Amino acid sequence: MSDANANGATTVAMYAATGHPDLSQYDSSDLDYQDWVPDGLKSDTWDVSFDRHGRCGWTRNYFDYGGHKSHAIEVVTRQAPLAYLAFLQSMKIPYIVCGDQDIDLEQALVKLKRYFGIATLAVCGGAGSSTGPSSRRG
């Protein structure tokens, strides 16, 4: 059993974050590429989106699957627009920045454990699930 499910951005956009936010309405003037986790955030289950470009259109901050509301976490790179990070903050969706162009998986696993207590991550969808292990310890 895993502490969280992980999916690539394409899978998340197909099933959990199907919206298309207008990023022009979000003020990002005070933001930079720093991790953001709201104080006191807790969840029984998590849904981690590996979304390097910041393109998942969340309409709520959780993914309802199998009778569980898994709180969303976004793993982004510095390619994600700052306005997208402002959008995530408005939705109370925490994000961690792990890399410039590509996601630094080792860094992501360390941060997921540090911030959310995630020790076991089940890769459920995305390119990594077809070639990599079904779960990985962080």
Side-chain angles (χ1 to χ4, degrees):
M1 181 153 188
S2 65
D3 300 322
N5 293 329
N7 293 284
T10 300
T11 302
V12 171
M14 286 173 39
Y15 298 105
T18 59
H20 301 284
D22 175 8
L23 297 182
S24 68
Q25 67 179 332
Y26 296 96
D27 180 15
S28 60
S29 60
D30 292 336
L31 293 181
D32 58 13
Y33 291 101
Q34 299 293 318
D35 301 339
W36 184 78
V37 180
D39 290 335
L41 180 65
K42 298 201 185 314
S43 182
D44 292 333
T45 58
W46 303 98
D47 195 79
V48 180
S49 171
F50 286 90
D51 184 12
R52 75 176 130 177
H53 298 286
R55 62 185 180 96
C56 291
W58 295 96
T59 56
R60 54 189 179 195
N61 62 9
Y62 63 89
F63 180 41
D64 194 358
Y65 182 75
H68 298 285
K69 290 183 178 179
S70 299
H71 200 290
I73 301 169
E74 281 271 325
V75 179
V76 299
T77 67
R78 287 175 181 81
Q79 290 190 66
L82 289 173
Y84 184 73
L85 303 184
F87 160 70
L88 292 176
Q89 286 187 16
S90 77
M91 296 289 295
K92 302 284 189 257
I93 296 174
Y95 57 83
I96 55 176
V97 181
C98 299
D100 292 322
Q101 300 293 315
D102 292 315
I103 291 174
D104 180 331
L105 184 58
E106 184 176 345
Q107 183 182 49
L109 294 173
V110 167
K111 288 182 178 187
L112 288 169
K113 186 169 186 177
R114 180 184 331 142
Y115 294 137
F116 308 100
I118 297 171
T120 307
L121 186 65
V123 178
C124 300
S129 66
S130 63
T131 59
S134 61
S135 66
R136 179 147 184 192
R137 296 237 176 239

